[in-house]
Amino acid sequence: MDSSRQAEAVVSPRASFLSGLRTGSGLAAASFLLAVSFGAISTSHGWGHLAPVICSMAVFSGSAQFALLAALGSGGGPAGAVLSAALINSRFIPMGIAVAGDLRGGRFRRALEGQAVVDSSWAAAHHGGGRFDRYLLFGATAIQWPAWVAGTALGVVVSPDPDLLHRLGLDVLTPALFLALLFDEVRRERINRLPALLGAVIAAGLIVFLPAGPALVGAALAALVALFRTPARHRQADETDETTAADATEAAEPADMPERALRSARSDEEVTP
């Protein structure tokens, strides 16, 4: 067992959950400000006071909700708007598959726990090697969801200028936090550097021709590189662990030989009349 797994073994679920709350608090602050903008813009587009709040409670995805808002605001039909939001949220399919092995219980409970999978919480809970801290995941999401809903409600009630966040520069908080999580993930595992670089290049190329949402979806294809490289990496890690364990056993055997020889000699003396 390596040092990271030993560290995970001694961390209690309560400590992991509290760590998730601390990690998610900064993300929740940025989500709150972004949600205020969503509430204000949706109200100015004629959504009323209740629909934006219900949308934030049910969807809980800033990128999907703004895509839905943009599609409806540009004169698109409900079907096209829902499809646009669904395409952006399709990133949760591979994310859910990745974290599925660390969820617990039957199908219903696992589906319920899977609702905690949001971008920032998922990234914060990843320990590397395809392993996730489920309690940290729960804690990080538990503080972000109410902040997102409360921010939407405040934006609906107060109805500030939708461009206020842009003028104050507050709209860069969420991208900055995601960038910090990305740097942490890349620093934790070298295998993530190539997918991150490819994702950045693909997004930069697609943004010239496509809106931000589809460009990000296309950049997610870079994750396939990590998917195909992961099995070989795990096999190499397993072989390394086995070799280390074998070397440790061989190193311990010479130290045990004198003691074994002494026990054998004593046994022979007891048997000899």
Side-chain angles (χ1 to χ4, degrees):
M1 181 181 294
D2 56 22
S3 59
S4 62
R5 293 180 182 177
Q6 290 177 348
E8 290 177 27
V10 300
V11 176
S12 66
R14 181 176 182 274
S16 293
F17 185 83
L18 293 177
S19 177
L21 290 177
R22 290 191 296 269
T23 302
S25 60
L27 300 167
S31 297
F32 179 84
L33 296 174
L34 191 62
V36 171
S37 178
F38 172 76
I41 296 174
S42 58
T43 302
S44 65
H45 281 65
W47 281 36
H49 292 78
L50 189 59
V53 178
I54 294 177
C55 182
S56 289
M57 294 175 64
V59 180
F60 186 33
S61 173
S63 56
Q65 289 179 230
F66 277 104
L68 184 68
L69 189 63
L72 292 176
S74 61
V82 172
L83 178 61
S84 176
L87 285 174
I88 292 179
N89 271 358
S90 63
R91 69 188 185 278
F92 290 119
I93 296 176
M95 291 169 61
I97 293 174
V99 78
D102 293 288
L103 302 180
R104 299 292 182 269
R107 292 182 178 180
F108 178 78
R109 179 180 173 181
R110 290 164 67 87
L112 185 62
E113 291 186 355
Q115 301 307 306
V117 177
V118 295
D119 299 291
S120 53
S121 300
W122 184 88
H126 187 217
H127 281 317
R131 293 171 291 111
F132 293 83
D133 187 333
R134 57 196 289 264
Y135 289 103
L136 193 150
L137 176 74
F138 299 157
T141 301
I143 194 172
Q144 291 182 75
W145 184 82
W148 179 256
V149 175
T152 303
L154 180 63
V156 168
V157 173
V158 178
S159 296
D161 185 352
D163 294 329
L164 178 62
L165 295 182
H166 297 282
R167 291 200 300 268
L168 295 178
L170 299 178
D171 55 318
V172 303
L173 288 178
T174 299
L177 288 171
F178 276 110
L179 188 61
L181 290 173
L182 176 62
F183 283 150
D184 182 67
E185 185 71 15
V186 171
R187 185 176 63 253
R188 186 185 297 124
E189 288 191 291
R190 294 179 60 184
I191 192 175
N192 294 324
R193 296 177 183 176
L194 180 59
L197 178 61
L198 288 177
V201 172
I202 293 174
L206 292 179
I207 200 68
V208 179
F209 309 100
L210 300 174
L216 291 177
V217 173
L221 295 175
L224 294 176
V225 176
L227 180 64
F228 289 124
R229 287 166 57 93
T230 297
R233 179 178 62 101
H234 281 312
R235 286 195 297 269
Q236 183 179 2
D238 293 340
E239 292 174 358
T240 302
D241 292 341
E242 292 175 0
T243 303
T244 303
D247 293 341
T249 303
E250 293 176 359
E253 286 180 352
D256 295 339
M257 289 178 62
E259 184 177 352
R260 292 177 184 175
L262 180 60
R263 286 200 302 267
S264 177
R266 290 178 179 175
S267 299
D268 292 342
E269 292 175 358
E270 293 175 357
V271 173
T272 303

